[in-house]
Amino acid sequence: ETGVTQSPTHLIKTRGQQVTLRCSSQSGHNTVSWYQQALGQGPQFIFQYYREEENGRGNFPPRFSGLQFPNYSSELNVNALELDDSALYLCASSRQGITGDEQYFGPGTRLTVT
Amino acid sequence: GESVGLHLPTLSVQEGDNSIINCAYSNSASDYFIWYKQESGKGPQFIIDIRSNMDKRQGQRVTVLLNKTVKHLSLQIAATQPGDSAVYFCAENTGGNQFYFGTGTSLTVIP
């Protein structure tokens, strides 16, 4: 098991609501990346945080936002939830200048929007 | 935009046989590739990686082959075991922060 934890495990929200997902990074890692994985699809990059600042963003609207804290844990916030936001949200912890074997994924948060 | 796709969405193999999972990518600028394994209820787990200056890389029971001419990547698993049953993704990187994942291949190992 990786040292990356995510909370909550599952979440059900109503369309139009807001949600906050949390990720605790592996010890020694200063970078957190967030991914959205729709059912039957591969993960899609949302954004990355490094030293508390956004450091790259995928093709997601501004209602997807994030934070990184001094202990390198991170939050993903989604406003005005839409049905298509239903997915597994993964965070990945790493050091900057990553190689693949140094990026560890958490188990994900399953978000259902009704 | 990026496009990483897999030729087969599902693959069934007999235990002990070798498995080959294929992946096509479209961005010729991609220079780093990773294969991930994702079991039910878990996040993706790193299997093996390869850089574009290599054609082949071997790990424990796994081999990745890269054909840059046709932009094709494959993962070979030797002596497939029941514990290898999972969804396998290839992911590509062009040197920035983003990894682009393919759709995935579901591997089922038949005992």
Side-chain angles (χ1 to χ4, degrees), chain A residues 23 31-35 45 47-49 90-94 98 103 105, chain B residues 97:
Chain A
C23 172
T31 301
V32 173
S33 302
W34 285 93
Y35 291 81
F45 178 80
F47 44 55
Q48 181 185 88
Y49 276 83
L90 296 160
C91 74
S93 155
S94 63
I98 58 173
Q103 178 173 240
F105 282 85
Chain B
N97 302 322

Side-chain angles (χ1 to χ4, degrees), chain B residues 1 4 6 18 20 31 41 46 50 54 64 71-72 90-91 98-100 111:
Chain B
V4 179
L6 300 178
N18 296 335
I20 299 176
D31 60 2
F46 173 91
I50 189 168
M54 302 174 69
V64 54
K71 290 183 281 193
H72 182 268
C90 65
Q98 301 188 28
F99 283 88
Y100 297 92

Side-chain angles (χ1 to χ4, degrees), chain A residues 81-92:
Chain A
L81 284 166
E82 301 177 359
L83 296 179
D84 286 348
D85 295 334
S86 294
L88 180 68
Y89 288 85
L90 296 160
C91 74

Side-chain angles (χ1 to χ4, degrees), chain A residues 5-66:
Chain A
T5 60
Q6 293 186 243
S7 62
T9 305
H10 297 88
L11 199 55
I12 300 174
K13 288 285 189 178
T14 303
R15 189 172 50 186
Q17 287 187 315
Q18 178 267 341
V19 69
T20 298
L21 310 181
R22 295 178 176 82
C23 172
S24 293
S25 58
Q26 172 114 346
S27 177
H29 286 183
N30 56 16
T31 301
V32 173
S33 302
W34 285 93
Y35 291 81
Q36 180 194 67
Q37 186 176 20
L39 197 62
Q41 301 293 318
Q44 301 296 310
F45 178 80
I46 303 174
F47 44 55
Q48 181 185 88
Y49 276 83
Y50 170 59
R51 290 187 175 178
E52 302 179 54
E53 295 199 1
E54 189 177 290
N55 185 41
R57 189 179 184 93
N59 188 26
F60 281 81
R63 59 189 186 84
F64 285 78
S65 63

Side-chain angles (χ1 to χ4, degrees), chain B residues 3-105:
Chain B
S3 175
V4 179
L6 300 178
H7 294 309
L8 294 172
T10 62
L11 177 65
S12 295
V13 298
Q14 291 287 338
E15 181 179 357
D17 286 352
N18 296 335
S19 302
I20 299 176
I21 300 172
N22 297 302
C23 176
Y25 64 95
S26 61
N27 190 342
S28 57
S30 294
D31 60 2
Y32 181 51
F33 304 87
I34 303 171
W35 279 101
Y36 286 96
K37 171 186 180 183
Q38 188 173 24
E39 297 174 282
S40 180
K42 297 183 179 180
Q45 176 187 359
F46 173 91
I47 301 173
I48 192 168
D49 59 358
I50 189 168
R51 295 202 175 270
S52 59
N53 61 352
M54 302 174 69
D55 297 322
K56 179 179 179 179
R57 190 158 189 234
Q58 289 183 291
Q60 186 176 11
R61 281 202 306 119
V62 294
T63 300
V64 54
L65 299 177
L66 176 61
N67 185 330
K68 295 180 287 294
T69 302
V70 295
K71 290 183 281 193
H72 182 268
L73 196 66
S74 68
L75 175 70
Q76 300 177 1
I77 305 174
T80 313
Q81 303 169 358
D84 295 327
S85 293
V87 178
Y88 290 80
F89 295 97
C90 65
E92 64 179 306
N93 178 267
T94 58
N97 302 322
Q98 301 188 28
F99 283 88
Y100 297 92
F101 284 74
T103 303
T105 293

